C-alpha cells in the first residue's frame, strides 16, 4: 500500500484483509458492492455478528445492516444498542418480530415519536412502563400512560421533559409522595403547586423542589431556611442570594450546606477566610482550589494537616510558583504528584520532580507538556504500564517518543496511543497490524476519518 493511502485504498484493504475490525471501521465510508464485500468479512461468523450487534463502538451503518439479518438474538441486541439508528429500529418493529422487541424499542433514545405511537403500550404494561421515561414520547402518549399507569410509571411521566402543566396538575392530585416530588422538580411546575411543595411536611418533596430551575428568589430564600439540611444544601447550589444570606450559609451547622456554598464562584473574602478554617476538610478543599483565594489563605492551606487539602492547592490555577516549589517537596507523594501534573511549571522544577521515585509523581511528569524530551524518553521506557501511559496522554509528546510506544506490551496503552494527535500516519498504518482488535479498529477509524477530510 502507498505511504499516503486514499480512502479507496483503505476500504479495499479492509475487504481483502479478512479482518472484521478493519471492515468495521471502514464500513461507514464504503458504498454499494464495496460495502457488501466488507459485510462478508464482518458477518463471517455468528459470534462476530452477535458481538457487533451489542458493542457500543459498532458504527450505525453496520447496526443497520445487521438489522436485516434474520437472527432473533442479534435483533434483540440491536434493540438495546443505543447507537442503533432510527431506520433500523423501524425495520426491527415492522419487518422482524417486533412484538418481542417492543419493550426495548419503547425505551430506545433513537425511537421516533411515530414508532412509539405504534408500539403496544396500550395493551402491554411492560411496554408502557418502558415507554413513559422516553424523552421522545409525545404528550398524547404521556396522558395515556398517566391514565392507565401505576405510580411508578406516573413518577416517570412526571419527570418527562414533555410533560405539560395540565398533566403535572393531574399527577400532583394522585397524592403519591414520589410522584409529587418529581412534579415539584419539573421546570413547568405551576406556581400554586410549587407553593404547596414549599410547605409540604415531607422533606423529599422540598428537596426536589429545590432542584427546580424555575424557582423564584423568594422560594429559594424560603428553602434556604428549611429545617432539613438536605433541602438547604440543594437550594444553595446555584441560587442568587444577598451577601447577608451567603454569610448565613457560611455559618450553617450542616457540612453539606457549607460544602455547597464553598463551591460557589465569587465568594466574599471574609466568607472565604471563614471557610479556609472550617472543621470540614471538604470545605477547605474547595477553598484551596478557588483561584480567587488570597495568597495568605493558600499558604495556610498548603500546610494543612489533610493531604487532600494540600493537593487541592496544587490544582489551584492561581497558586504562586514559590508555593508550588514548596509543595513539590511535600512528604506525601500524592501532593507532589499534584504539582507534577501542572502544565505551567518551570523546566527546573519538572526536572527535579522527574528524579522522584514514586510512580504517581513520575506519571505526572510524564503527562507534563514541558517535560524535556530526554526525560520523556526515560519515562516512556519505565517498567510500569501506567507510567508509560502518562507519556501517551501528554499532549506535547513529540512523534519520536510516541513511536517508541507502538509496541508497548499493554494493549490499553496502544489503544490510547492511536488517539494521540501527534502520532504520525506511518505509525498508524503499522498499527493496522496490531495483535489487539480494538487497537486495529481505532487506528483504522482514525485513518479513514483523516483521509476523508484531507
Amino acid at each position: 500500500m502507498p505511504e499516503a493511502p486514499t480512502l479507496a485504498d483503505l476500504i479495499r484493504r479492509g475487504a481483502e484483509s479478512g479482518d472484521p475490525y478493519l471492515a468495521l471501521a471502514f464500513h461507514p465510508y464504503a458504498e454499494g458492492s464495496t460495502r457488501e464485500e466488507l459485510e462478508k468479512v464482518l458477518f463471517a461468523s455468528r459470534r462476530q455478528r452477535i458481538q457487533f450487534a451489542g458493542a457500543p463502538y459498532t458504527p450505525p451503518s453496520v447496526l443497520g445492516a445487521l438489522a436485516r439479518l434474520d437472527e432473533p438474538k442479534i435483533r434483540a441486541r440491536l434493540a438495546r444498542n443505543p447507537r442503533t439508528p432510527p431506520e433500523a429500529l423501524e425495520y426491527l418493529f415492522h419487518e422482524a418480530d417486533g412484538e418481542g422487541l417492543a419493550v426495548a424499542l419503547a425505551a430506545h433514545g433513537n425511537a421516533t415519536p411515530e414508532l412509539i405511537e405504534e408500539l403496544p403500550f396500550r395493551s402491554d404494561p411492560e411496554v408502557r412502563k418502558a415507554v413513559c421515561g422516553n424523552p421522545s414520547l409525545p404528550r398524547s402518549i404521556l396522558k395515556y400512560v398517566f391514565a392507565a399507569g401505576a405510580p411508578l410509571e406516573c413518577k416517570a411521566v412526571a419527570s418527562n421533559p414533555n410533560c405539560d402543566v395540565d398533566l403535572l396538575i393531574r399527577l400532583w392530585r394522585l397524592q403519591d409522595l414520589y410522584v409529587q416530588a418529581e412534579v415539584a422538580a419539573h421546570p413547568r411546575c405551576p406556581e400554586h403547586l410549587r407553593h404547596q411543595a414549599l410547605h409540604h411536611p415531607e422533606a423529599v418533596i422540598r428537596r426536589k423542589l429545590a432542584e427546580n430551575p424555575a424557582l423564584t428568589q423568594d422560594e429559594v430564600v424560603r428553602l434556604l431556611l428549611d429545617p432539613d439540611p438536605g433541602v438547604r444544601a440543594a437550594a444553595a447550589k446555584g441560587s442568587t442570594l444577598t451577601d447577608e444570606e451567603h454569610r448565613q450559609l457560611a455559618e450553617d451547622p450542616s457540612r453539606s450546606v457549607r460544602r455547597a456554598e464553598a463551591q460557589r464562584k465569587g465568594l466574599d473574602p471574609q466568607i472565604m477566610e471563614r471557610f479556609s478554617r472550617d472543621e470540614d476538610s471538604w470545605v477547605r478543599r474547595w477553598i484551596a482550589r478557588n483561584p480567587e483565594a488570597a495568597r495568605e489563605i493558600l499558604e495556610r492551606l498548603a500546610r494543612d494537616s489533610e493531604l487532600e487539602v494540600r493537593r487541592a492547592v496544587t490544582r489551584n490555577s492561581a497558586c504562586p510558583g514559590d508555593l508550588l516549589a514548596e509543595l513539590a517537596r511535600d512528604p506525601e507523594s500524592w501532593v507532589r504528584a499534584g504539582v507534577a501534573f501542572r502544565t505551567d511549571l518551570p523546566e527546573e522544577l519538572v526536572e527535579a520532580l522527574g528524579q522522584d521515585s514514586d510512580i504517581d509523581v513520575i506519571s505526572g511528569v510524564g503527562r507534563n507538556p514541558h517535560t524535556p524530551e530526554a526525560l520523556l524518553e526515560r519515562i516512556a521506557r519505565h517498567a510500569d504500564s501506567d507510567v508509560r501511559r502518562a507519556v501517551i496522554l501528554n499532549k506535547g509528546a513529540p512523534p519520536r517518543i510516541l513511536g517508541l510506544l507502538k509496541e508497548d506490551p499493554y494493549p490499553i496503552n496502544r489503544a490510547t496511543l492511536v488517539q494521540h494527535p501527534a502520532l504520525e500516519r506511518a505509525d498508524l498504518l503499522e498499527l493496522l497490524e496490531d495483535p489487539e482488535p480494538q487497537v486495529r479498529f481505532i487506528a483504522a477509524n482514525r485513518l479513514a476519518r483523516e483521509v476523508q477530510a484531507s
Side-chain angles (χ1 to χ4, degrees):
M1 181 176 288
E3 195 169 311
T6 65
L7 191 56
D9 292 329
L10 293 173
I11 293 171
R12 186 164 56 253
R13 177 169 177 169
E16 295 173 354
S17 67
D19 183 345
Y21 287 87
L22 296 188
L24 189 71
F26 297 141
H27 187 275
Y29 304 92
E31 297 177 352
S33 60
T34 310
R35 179 172 279 196
E36 291 175 4
E37 289 297 312
L38 292 174
E39 288 173 8
K40 289 179 183 178
V41 177
L42 278 168
F43 307 151
S45 75
R46 185 169 184 270
R47 182 178 178 182
Q48 282 178 191
R49 297 193 294 272
I50 292 173
Q51 177 183 337
F52 290 151
Y57 52 79
T58 301
S61 65
V62 175
L63 297 174
L66 282 165
R68 298 182 178 275
L69 301 180
D70 188 16
E71 297 189 46
K73 187 170 184 178
I74 287 175
R75 287 174 168 171
R77 287 196 165 205
L78 291 171
R80 290 170 173 79
N81 191 318
R83 297 193 74 189
T84 301
E87 59 273 15
L89 298 176
E90 295 273 359
Y91 184 88
L92 289 173
F93 183 68
H94 292 115
E95 305 298 331
D97 182 19
E99 291 294 323
L101 303 175
V103 173
L105 294 173
H108 203 289
N110 289 339
T112 63
E114 293 76 19
L115 173 59
I116 293 173
E117 190 74 58
E118 295 183 69
L119 296 174
F121 59 87
R122 294 172 180 84
S123 58
D124 190 330
E126 289 302 313
V127 176
R128 188 166 62 248
K129 181 180 177 182
V131 82
C132 60
N134 195 316
S136 301
L137 200 62
R139 291 184 187 179
S140 59
I141 299 180
L142 277 172
K143 292 179 179 179
Y144 179 87
V145 173
F146 160 73
L152 188 61
E153 296 163 23
C154 290
K155 178 176 180 287
V157 170
S159 63
N160 193 294
N162 292 325
C163 197
D164 59 21
V165 172
D166 175 67
L167 189 49
L168 288 169
I169 292 172
R170 293 162 66 190
L171 285 160
W172 181 270
R173 289 173 182 162
L174 293 176
Q175 297 299 313
D176 181 275
L177 177 65
Y178 296 101
V179 173
Q180 288 184 324
E182 293 299 332
V183 171
H186 202 289
R188 290 198 182 99
C189 182
E191 184 178 358
H192 73 282
L193 292 188
R194 295 203 309 268
H195 179 78
Q196 291 183 48
L198 192 63
H199 296 86
H200 201 283
E202 293 289 346
V204 65
I205 289 181
R206 304 196 305 277
R207 276 199 298 272
K208 291 295 288 186
L209 175 67
E211 299 173 9
N212 192 321
L215 290 177
T216 66
Q217 189 62 29
D218 287 344
E219 289 168 336
V220 171
V221 171
R222 173 66 185 247
L223 290 167
L224 288 168
L225 299 174
D226 196 278
D228 185 272
V231 175
R232 300 198 302 274
K237 295 178 178 175
S239 56
T240 303
L241 307 172
T242 65
D243 290 343
E244 180 56 35
E245 288 161 344
H246 281 302
R247 279 191 285 274
Q248 291 175 11
L249 288 175
E251 300 293 337
D252 196 284
S254 169
R255 289 180 299 178
S256 60
V257 174
R258 300 198 306 278
R259 287 177 185 181
E261 178 69 3
Q263 296 176 51
R264 191 174 59 82
K265 294 181 179 178
L267 282 174
D268 181 273
Q270 289 183 334
I271 294 177
M272 205 174 301
E273 168 67 23
R274 156 74 182 82
F275 278 154
S276 72
R277 301 177 186 274
D278 197 279
E279 64 180 6
D280 182 70
S281 64
W282 267 103
V283 173
R284 303 199 303 277
R285 283 164 73 171
W286 283 114
I287 300 304
R289 292 176 60 174
N290 193 321
E292 298 174 0
R295 180 187 172 96
E296 55 268 25
I297 289 177
L298 292 181
E299 286 179 350
R300 182 169 63 255
L301 294 176
R303 299 170 186 118
D304 196 277
S305 60
E306 291 282 341
L307 73 89
E308 289 291 356
V309 174
R310 303 198 301 277
R311 181 176 166 88
V313 176
T314 72
R315 300 179 65 183
N316 190 319
S317 60
C319 185
D322 60 328
L323 200 52
L324 285 174
E326 179 183 326
L327 288 163
R329 298 187 296 272
D330 193 278
E332 293 288 347
S333 61
W334 190 232
V335 177
R336 302 196 302 277
V339 178
F341 274 96
R342 290 189 65 109
T343 60
D344 57 353
L345 298 179
E347 187 172 312
E348 59 271 18
L349 189 51
V350 175
E351 288 275 13
L353 288 165
Q355 308 309 311
D356 203 295
S357 60
D358 184 84
I359 287 176
D360 289 326
V361 179
I362 294 298
S363 294
V365 175
R367 287 191 63 168
N368 198 309
H370 293 163
T371 299
E373 188 168 327
L375 182 52
L376 270 185
E377 181 171 349
R378 178 166 66 82
I379 297 173
R381 300 181 188 278
H382 199 279
D384 188 277
S385 60
D386 290 340
V387 173
R388 298 194 302 274
R389 186 161 62 256
V391 176
I392 296 170
L393 293 170
N394 187 331
K395 294 179 180 180
R400 184 185 74 82
I401 300 299
L402 295 173
L404 299 175
L405 294 157
K406 285 184 302 184
E407 298 182 5
D408 191 285
Y410 195 45
I412 290 179
N413 283 358
R414 302 196 305 277
T416 307
L417 173 67
V418 171
Q419 302 171 67
H420 198 291
L423 190 68
E424 295 183 332
R425 187 163 293 182
D427 293 324
L428 279 172
L429 287 167
E430 283 188 40
L431 287 164
L432 293 180
E433 305 287 344
D434 193 274
E436 178 63 31
Q438 284 295 320
V439 175
R440 300 197 302 274
F441 171 73
I442 299 170
N445 191 42
R446 176 178 168 181
L447 275 167
R449 188 172 62 248
E450 290 182 357
V451 169
Q452 185 187 49
S454 61

